[in-house]
C-alpha cells in the first residue's frame, strides 16, 4: 500500500498545516522514528563460578561424554520398561500439564502485549431514542410535536498509542521473558517428575531383589526348622534349637511381609506420576536391576546452561529489568492518534447518505502532573523487585552447585563403602558355609549357626540397600546436572 494514500498520511497532512504545525508534525515524526526505552541495559548477574567441582577429582567420566545430552537421560540405565514408563509420564503427568497450561497463558499474554503495538479498528452502530420537555426552545423539536427523536449512528474508528518511550515494547519484553521463565519452569517440573519416577522404579527393583533374597532365606530357614524338629523327635537336639529355628523363621517371614507394602507404595507412586489411578496399574517383578551408570560431568560454568531452574531464575531477572523501564515511562506523556468517521441521521431511510457523514482526526497527549509520589514509588518498587530476582538467581546457582557437590561426594563415599561391604559380605558367606559344615559334623550347637546366619543375612540386605542408595544418588546427580536440558530451549521465540 502507498503510504501517501493512507488515512494516516492524510491525517498527518491535516495536523501539519501551517508553519508552527509543520514544526510540531516534524518533531512528532522524529519522535516516532526515534522511540527510546528507559529500562537499564540488561547484563546477566555476576555469580562466582568455580573452575571445577570440588568433589570431581578422580571422577570417572562416561564414554561417550554426551550420553545424557540427548534429553532422554533415563535411557542411560538401559531398561526398556523404564523408558516406556517415563515416556508415558511425559505425555500424561498432571503436574506437568498444569505448568504447560501456565506456559500457554504466558504465551497468550505475549501475543496480547504485542498486539498493543499496532492500531486498533473499531466499528460502532447505535440507535438512540430521546425526548425533551414541551418547554424546550430547541428548534429540532419544531417539527415534532411529540418531542421524541430517533438518532441512527454508524462509526468506524482507528486508535493508536504511539510508543514514544518504549513502555509498550518493554511490557512486551517483560512478558516474553516471563513466558521463557514459564517454559523453563515447565522443563524443571518435568525433570523433577521424571527423576522421581526413575528413583521409585529403581528402588522398586531393589525391593524385588530383596524379596527374592528373603524368600530364599525363608525356604532355607524352613528346612532348618524341619531338621531341628526331626532331631528333637529323635532325641538328638533339644527344644531350644527348635525354638531358635522357629524364631529365626518367623522373624524373616515378617520382614518379607513388610516388603509388600513398601513395594506397593513405589508402584502406586509410579502410577500417579504417569497420570493413572493405582488400581489401573501394576508392575510385574523382574530379576534384573539396572546397572549403575557412568555419568558425564559438566563444568560448573556449563551448569548455568543445563539447569532449567537456573534459566527460569535468569529470565525472571530479565522480566524485572524490563519492568523498570515500564515504570519509568510513566513520567512521560502518552501520545495516541485517533481517527473517527461515520454517518449520523434522525431517519433510518436516508441514514447512509453523503450529507449525513462526519469525521474527526487528531492526536491526544496525556501527562500526569501530580500524583503525590505514586510514580516514584512504583519505580522504587520495580527496582527492589529486580534486586530480589537477582538475589534469587544467585541463590539458585549456589543451590545448584551445592546439589552437584553433595551427590558427587555421596556417590564417591558409596563407591568406597561398596568395596568394604562386598568384602564383609564375602566373609559372612564364607563364615556361614564353615559354620554350617561344623554344625552338620556335630562340633557346634545350632545357636552358633543362627548367629552366623543372621549376620550373613544382614550383610546381604546391607549390600542391596547400598546399591539402592547408589542408584538413587545417580538419578539425583543427573537431575542436578540438568538431565540433558539446554538453556537454548528457553530462548526460543514465543509462538503466535
Amino acid at each position: 500500500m502507498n503510504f501517501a494514500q493512507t488515512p494516516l498520511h492524510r491525517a498527518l497532512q491535516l495536523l501539519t498545516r501551517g508553519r508552527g504545525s509543520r514544526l510540531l508534525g516534524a518533531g512528532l515524526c522524529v519522535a516516532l522514528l526515534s522511540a527510546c526505552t528507559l529500562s537499564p541495559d540488561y547484563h546477566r548477574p555476576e555469580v562466582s563460578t568455580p573452575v571445577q567441582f570440588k568433589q570431581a577429582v578422580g571422577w570417572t567420566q562416561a564414554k561417550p561424554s554426551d550420553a545424557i545430552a540427548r534429553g532422554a537421560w533415563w535411557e542411560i540405565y538401559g531398561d526398556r520398561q523404564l523408558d516406556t514408563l517415563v515416556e508415558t509420564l511425559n505425555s500424561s503427568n498432571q503436574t506437568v500439564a498444569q505448568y504447560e497450561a501456565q506456559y500457554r497463558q504466558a504465551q497468550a499474554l505475549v501475543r496480547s502485549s504485542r498486539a498493543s503495538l499496532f492500531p486498533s479498528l473499531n466499528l460502532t452502530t447505535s440507535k438512540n431514542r430521546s425526548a425533551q420537555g414541551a418547554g424546550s426552545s430547541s428548534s429540532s423539536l419544531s417539527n415534532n410535536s411529540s418531542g421524541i427523536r430517533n438518532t441512527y449512528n454508524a462509526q468506524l474508528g482507528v486508535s493508536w498509542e504511539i510508543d514514544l518511550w518504549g513502555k509498550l515494547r518493554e511490557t512486551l519484553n517483560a512478558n516474553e521473558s516471563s513466558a521463557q521463565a514459564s517454559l523453563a519452569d515447565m522443563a524443571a517440573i518435568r525433570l523433577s517428575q521424571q527423576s522421581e519416577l526413575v528413583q521409585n522404579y529403581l528402588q522398586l527393583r531393589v525391593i524385588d531383589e530383596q524379596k527374592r533374597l528373603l524368600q530364599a532365606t525363608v525356604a532355607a530357614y524352613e528346612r532348618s526348622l524341619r531338621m531341628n524338629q526331626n532331631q528333637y523327635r529323635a532325641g538328638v537336639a533339644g527344644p531350644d534349637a527348635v525354638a531358635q529355628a522357629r524364631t529365626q523363621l518367623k522373624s524373616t517371614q515378617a520382614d518379607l511381609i513388610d516388603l509388600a507394602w513398601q513395594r506397593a507404595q513405589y508402584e502406586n507412586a509410579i502410577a500417579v506420576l504417569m497420570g493413572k489411578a493405582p488400581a489401573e496399574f501394576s508392575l510385574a517383578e523382574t530379576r534384573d536391576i539396572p546397572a549403575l551408570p557412568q555419568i558425564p560431568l559438566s563444568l560448573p560454568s556449563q551448569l548455568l546452561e543445563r539447569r532449567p531452574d537456573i534459566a527460569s531464575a535468569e529470565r525472571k531477572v530479565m522480566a524485572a529489568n524490563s519492568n523498570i523501564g515500564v515504570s519509568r515511562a510513566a513520567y512521560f506523556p502518552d501520545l495516541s492518534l485517533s481517527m473517527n468517521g461515520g454517518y449520523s441521521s434522525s431517519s433510518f431511510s436516508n441514514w447512509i447518505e453523503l450529507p449525513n457523514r462526519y469525521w474527526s482526526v487528531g492526536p491526544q497527549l496525556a501527562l500526569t502532573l501530580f500524583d503525590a509520589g505514586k510514580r516514584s514509588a512504583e519505580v522504587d518498587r520495580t527496582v527492589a523487585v529486580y534486586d530480589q530476582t537477582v538475589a534469587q538467581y544467585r541463590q539458585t546457582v549456589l543451590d545448584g552447585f551445592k546439589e552437584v557437590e553433595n551427590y558427587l561426594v555421596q556417590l564417591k563415599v558409596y563407591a568406597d563403602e561398596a568395596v568394604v561391604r562386598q568384602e564383609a559380605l564375602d566373609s559372612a558367606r564364607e563364615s556361614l558355609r564353615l559354620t554350617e559344615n561344623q554344625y552338620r559334623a556335630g562340633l557346634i550347637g545350632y545357636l552358633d549357626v543362627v548367629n552366623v546366619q543372621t549376620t550373613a543375612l544382614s550383610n546381604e540386605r546391607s549390600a542391596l540397600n547400598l546399591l539402592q542408595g547408589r542408584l538413587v544418588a545417580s538419578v539425583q546427580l543427573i537431575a542436578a546436572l540438568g538431565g540433558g536440558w539446554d538453556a537454548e530451549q528457553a530462548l526460543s521465540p514465543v509462538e503466535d
Side-chain angles (χ1 to χ4, degrees), residues 127-148:
K127 173 188 176 182
N128 296 320
R129 188 173 177 83
S130 58
Q132 206 166 359
S136 172
S137 60
S138 174
S139 60
S140 62
L141 301 179
S142 58
N143 297 326
N144 192 345
S145 59
S146 65
I148 297 176

Side-chain angles (χ1 to χ4, degrees), residues 251-319:
S251 177
T252 307
Q253 287 177 333
D255 291 340
L256 180 59
I257 294 173
D258 184 66
L259 288 180
W261 75 266
Q262 294 184 39
R263 189 185 193 280
Q265 283 187 318
Y266 289 123
E267 189 176 68
N268 294 341
I270 292 172
V272 172
L273 287 169
M274 295 191 303
K276 297 182 178 180
E280 301 173 353
F281 175 76
S282 63
L283 201 57
E285 294 184 17
T286 66
R287 301 191 63 85
D288 299 323
I289 300 178
L292 189 70
Q294 288 184 319
I295 302 172
L297 185 62
S298 59
L299 297 176
S301 59
Q302 295 173 328
L303 193 68
L304 306 184
E305 309 299 331
R306 294 294 299 271
R307 284 184 58 125
D309 58 337
I310 293 178
S312 173
E314 187 190 355
R315 300 307 180 274
K316 291 172 183 175
V317 175
M318 296 170 65

Side-chain angles (χ1 to χ4, degrees), residues 464-495:
L464 285 175
N465 288 334
L466 179 60
L467 175 59
Q468 185 181 67
R470 296 179 72 186
L471 288 170
V472 169
S474 69
V475 177
Q476 292 171 332
L477 176 59
I478 293 174
L481 291 170
W485 186 84
D486 193 276
E488 292 183 359
Q489 299 178 34
L491 288 173
S492 58
V494 178
E495 298 180 357

Side-chain angles (χ1 to χ4, degrees), residues 128-189:
N128 296 320
R129 188 173 177 83
S130 58
Q132 206 166 359
S136 172
S137 60
S138 174
S139 60
S140 62
L141 301 179
S142 58
N143 297 326
N144 192 345
S145 59
S146 65
I148 297 176
R149 180 182 179 182
N150 295 325
T151 304
Y152 299 90
N153 285 290
Q155 176 178 295
L156 185 66
V158 178
S159 61
W160 185 20
E161 182 177 354
I162 309 301
D163 194 22
L164 287 177
W165 318 110
K167 179 181 69 174
L168 299 180
R169 280 175 292 137
E170 289 299 342
T171 300
L172 173 61
N173 292 338
N175 290 334
E176 285 181 336
S177 297
S178 296
Q180 292 169 358
S182 179
L183 178 61
D185 287 338
M186 182 175 65
I189 199 65

